[in-house]
Amino acid sequence: LSLYSEAENLIANTDRPETQLLRARILDSHAWALLPLGREKDAEALFEESLQCKELHQDKTGMAISTTGLAICASKMGDTQKSLVRLEQARSLNNETGSYEFEVRNLLSIIQAQQVLGNKNAVWDTIKQSKEILESGQITDLDDLNSLKEELTEIEKKPLPES
């Protein structure tokens, strides 16, 4: 973990956009490494800093990654509503950039958050949205497509709220 900090510090004081975006990716990597260690607050701070840089430079793909990380942090810290908001933001960014696999991954997480919050109609609507993307042909990698279909099928097997 100290290597992340060293790398961050080496390139922290530059005005070059490509170097700032590189630093943002290092911040994300550091944050992702902290999550399994139970250091959600530290990870959240790193994702926030990374997101600010990416917003400044309009790196929408990077913004989606950092925003998804923030959603996971919020979920792990017990704030399902905040997690849901972040997942919706990430989903929108992934849609804008044509990252449909990650949009569906966000939707699957949104379904779980909606279940926790008891948003019955939203669960069904989100399942429908997921299926529409999976059946649209927008996800061209068959392994990804099949994996996402299996995950959705597993979610559908669980007792869901009545519509």
Side-chain angles (χ1 to χ4, degrees):
L1 293 177
S2 65
L3 289 177
Y4 288 115
S5 297
E6 274 185 57
E8 291 165 29
N9 292 332
L10 282 173
I11 60 175
N13 298 321
T14 181
D15 291 334
R16 293 181 47 213
E18 58 275 359
T19 306
Q20 290 177 353
L21 288 169
L22 175 60
R23 182 173 182 271
R25 286 193 295 275
I26 293 169
L27 291 169
D28 281 342
S29 295
H30 191 177
W32 287 113
L34 294 174
L35 279 175
L37 303 175
R39 294 178 55 190
E40 292 87 8
K41 283 281 189 197
D42 295 331
E44 181 182 47
L46 294 171
F47 282 129
E48 285 285 359
E49 187 176 347
S50 175
L51 181 60
Q52 288 174 2
C53 176
K54 292 171 182 177
E55 287 172 340
L56 178 68
H57 298 290
Q58 286 298 300
D59 175 9
K60 290 186 179 188
T61 300
M63 290 164 58
I65 292 167
S66 298
T67 303
T68 299
L70 287 167
I72 292 169
C73 289
S75 178
K76 286 181 174 270
M77 291 187 284
D79 192 340
T80 305
Q81 184 60 47
K82 185 177 179 181
S83 178
L84 180 60
V85 169
R86 290 296 194 174
L87 287 166
E88 291 284 1
Q89 292 168 342
R91 182 234 169 163
S92 177
L93 288 162
N94 281 316
N95 179 275
E96 286 179 44
T97 62
S99 300
Y100 302 112
E101 172 199 345
F102 293 105
E103 181 181 5
V104 173
R105 291 197 187 286
N106 291 140
L107 285 167
L108 297 177
S109 296
I110 287 168
I111 292 167
Q112 294 171 335
Q114 291 166 335
Q115 287 175 317
V116 169
L117 295 171
N119 298 342
K120 296 175 185 180
N121 291 333
V123 168
W124 291 107
D125 290 344
T126 308
I127 288 173
K128 182 181 173 193
Q129 291 170 9
S130 299
K131 285 182 176 182
E132 287 172 1
I133 295 169
L134 291 171
E135 295 168 2
S136 71
Q138 293 172 310
I139 300 173
T140 56
D141 184 292
L142 286 178
D143 289 337
D144 290 338
L145 181 63
N146 290 331
S147 172
L148 291 166
K149 283 182 176 180
E150 286 175 22
E151 287 180 52
L152 184 58
T153 299
E154 288 303 312
I155 288 172
E156 288 181 298
K157 286 180 182 177
K158 295 177 185 172
L160 295 173
E162 295 179 19
S163 58

